[in-house]
């Protein structure tokens, strides 16, 4: 009897062959050494090229033999003035041996310092030589200690300088373009400039003063007119040329008040070409 329609698909699927699972790699611990494109890799390829420096171990970098020697001393809290040369030299030679195996040219200056350490240690083992004047012999480590102390001071000073703000690294200089006008702008005359100019006029007036007693009716308006007449037809006039010291201090005072009144009414302008330059006066309007 043929199968029904409902059982047909299920029976067909059951009759299909089941794909076999991929064989496990022939390894003992089933631990992959790497993954390549997501797939585990249980053995390195036979044709894999590994550069000689790919597995290089980088040692802690030092700036020279003194830097390495100072590092060994400070790391073990040794006193710089009393260095245990046996321990320091042994550790130093171990590091130099690692450098020599990797870079013989770089190890040259380190080997020179190692020879110096061995020499100092041998001199310490020998009985000290007495000087002719009976003074105590110098410690063989004295020169090395002096160089280490100087090097440490310079290194600390360089570290402090490195912490200071540096242009281009920690901050930038602000640059703003300001368009300058083609028309020159004269600096403004301050009250202190007028005071100094007035003091100079008074001193000149005292030098030319006459001992005469007179009574003169002085008018500010009249002197204002005199100042305007002096400025007529002139581009400008120096401040002191507006005064006549020979006429006495009262006339100078009235002339100065007249000049201030004209400036307040904007009939004249008081200018300077630059700071501390002579003060000039010119008309504040164009005469018809």
């Amino acid at each position: 009897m043929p199968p029904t329609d409902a059982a047909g698909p299920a029976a067909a699927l059951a009759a299909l062959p089941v794909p076999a699972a991929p064989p496990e790699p022939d390894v003992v611990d089933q631990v992959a050494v790497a993954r390549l494109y997501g797939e585990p890799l249980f053995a390195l390829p036979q044709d894999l090229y590994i550069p000689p420096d790919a597995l290089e171990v980088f040692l802690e970098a030092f700036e020279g033999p003194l830097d390495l020697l100072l590092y060994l001393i400070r790391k073990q809290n040794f006193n710089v003035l009393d260095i245990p040369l046996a321990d320091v030299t042994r550790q130093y030679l171990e590091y130099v041996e690692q450098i020599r195996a990797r870079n013989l040219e770089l190890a040259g200056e380190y080997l020179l310092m190692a020879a110096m350490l061995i020499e100092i240690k041998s001199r310490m083992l020998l009985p000290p030589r007495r000087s002719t004047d009976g003074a105590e012999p110098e410690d063989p480590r004295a020169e090395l200690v002096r160089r280490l102390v100087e090097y440490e001071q310079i290194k600390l000073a360089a570290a402090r300088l490195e912490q200071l703000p540096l242009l281009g690294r920690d901050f930038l200089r602000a640059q703003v373009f300001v368009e300058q006008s083609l028309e020159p702008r004269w600096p403004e005359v301050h009250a202190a400039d007028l005071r100094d100019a007035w003091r100079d006029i008074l001193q000149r007036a005292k030098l030319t003063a006459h001992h005469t007693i007179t009574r003169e009716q002085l008018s500010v308006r009249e002197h204002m007119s005199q100042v305007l007449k002096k400025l007529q037809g002139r581009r400008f006039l120096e401040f002191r040329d507006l005064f006549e010291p020979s006429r006495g201090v009262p006339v100078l005072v009235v002339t100065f008040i007249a000049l201030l009144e004209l400036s307040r009414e904007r009939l004249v302008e008081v200018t300077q070409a630059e700071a501390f330059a002579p003060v000039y006066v010119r008309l504040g309007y164009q005469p018809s």
Side-chain angles (χ1 to χ4, degrees):
M1 181 177 181
T4 60
D5 294 340
L13 290 177
L16 291 177
V18 179
E24 294 292 335
D26 187 13
V27 293
V28 177
D29 53 1
Q30 298 292 329
V31 177
V33 296
R35 284 186 174 273
L36 183 62
Y37 300 109
E39 298 295 330
L41 186 65
F42 295 94
L44 294 178
Q46 298 297 325
D47 58 346
L48 179 63
Y49 172 73
I50 302 178
D53 298 335
L55 303 178
E56 182 178 3
V57 178
F58 293 92
L59 302 176
E60 187 169 357
F62 296 100
E63 297 179 1
L66 284 177
D67 196 20
L68 170 59
L69 189 58
L70 185 63
Y71 168 78
L72 295 175
I73 294 173
R74 292 307 185 194
K75 181 180 179 181
Q76 302 173 83
N77 296 324
F78 290 150
N79 186 2
V80 177
L81 302 179
D82 187 16
I83 304 174
L85 283 179
D87 297 338
V88 173
T89 304
R90 183 177 63 256
Q91 299 173 17
Y92 187 91
L93 289 176
E94 291 176 359
Y95 182 85
V96 171
E97 183 63 25
Q98 298 178 23
I99 299 179
R100 190 178 64 82
R102 295 172 53 246
N103 192 338
L104 187 59
E105 295 181 0
L106 181 62
E109 53 181 344
Y110 288 89
L111 290 172
L112 180 61
M113 176 61 71
M116 183 183 299
L117 293 175
I118 296 174
E119 179 191 4
I120 294 174
K121 181 59 179 177
S122 62
R123 289 171 56 190
M124 293 180 63
L125 295 176
L126 295 175
R129 292 183 179 180
R130 292 287 180 178
S131 58
T132 56
D133 55 358
E136 290 292 333
E138 185 180 5
D139 191 340
R141 299 170 294 182
E143 179 63 21
L144 178 62
V145 169
R146 182 188 63 79
R147 292 176 59 185
L148 285 173
V149 171
E150 290 180 356
Y151 176 79
E152 185 175 26
Q153 292 175 351
I154 295 175
K155 185 176 181 179
L156 293 177
R160 288 195 294 268
L161 289 176
E162 182 67 20
Q163 294 175 358
L164 295 177
L166 182 63
L167 176 63
R169 183 192 66 182
D170 302 314
F171 66 93
L172 298 176
R173 182 185 291 113
Q175 297 181 357
V176 180
F177 175 75
V178 180
E179 183 179 1
Q180 300 291 334
S181 176
L182 297 178
E183 182 180 357
R185 299 179 59 184
W186 307 109
E188 298 181 359
V189 179
H190 300 284
D193 300 325
L194 286 177
R195 181 193 61 197
D196 296 338
W198 169 245
R199 184 180 301 168
D200 182 56
I201 296 297
L202 286 180
Q203 291 178 354
R204 294 178 56 196
K206 292 178 181 179
L207 295 176
T208 59
H210 300 283
H211 297 285
T212 56
I213 300 176
T214 58
R215 184 174 182 180
E216 184 179 1
Q217 297 292 336
L218 301 176
S219 171
V220 175
R221 286 293 174 183
E222 180 181 354
H223 283 77
M224 290 172 62
S225 301
Q226 293 178 4
V227 171
L228 293 177
K229 288 180 181 179
K230 290 182 179 180
L231 295 175
Q232 291 289 337
R234 296 175 180 266
R235 184 178 177 184
F236 56 84
L237 192 64
E238 193 171 349
F239 178 79
R240 61 182 180 181
D241 293 337
L242 294 174
F243 299 87
E244 299 178 10
S246 59
R247 297 183 60 182
V249 175
V251 178
L252 297 178
V253 173
V254 176
T255 305
F256 184 71
I257 295 176
L259 181 61
L260 294 178
E261 188 66 16
L262 289 172
S263 178
R264 186 180 68 84
E265 295 178 5
R266 301 185 181 277
L267 296 177
V268 297
E269 294 181 357
V270 184
T271 61
Q272 267 183 316
E274 58 184 5
F276 306 106
V279 179
Y280 294 94
V281 182
R282 62 182 179 184
L283 290 175
Y285 63 94
Q286 296 294 334
S288 57

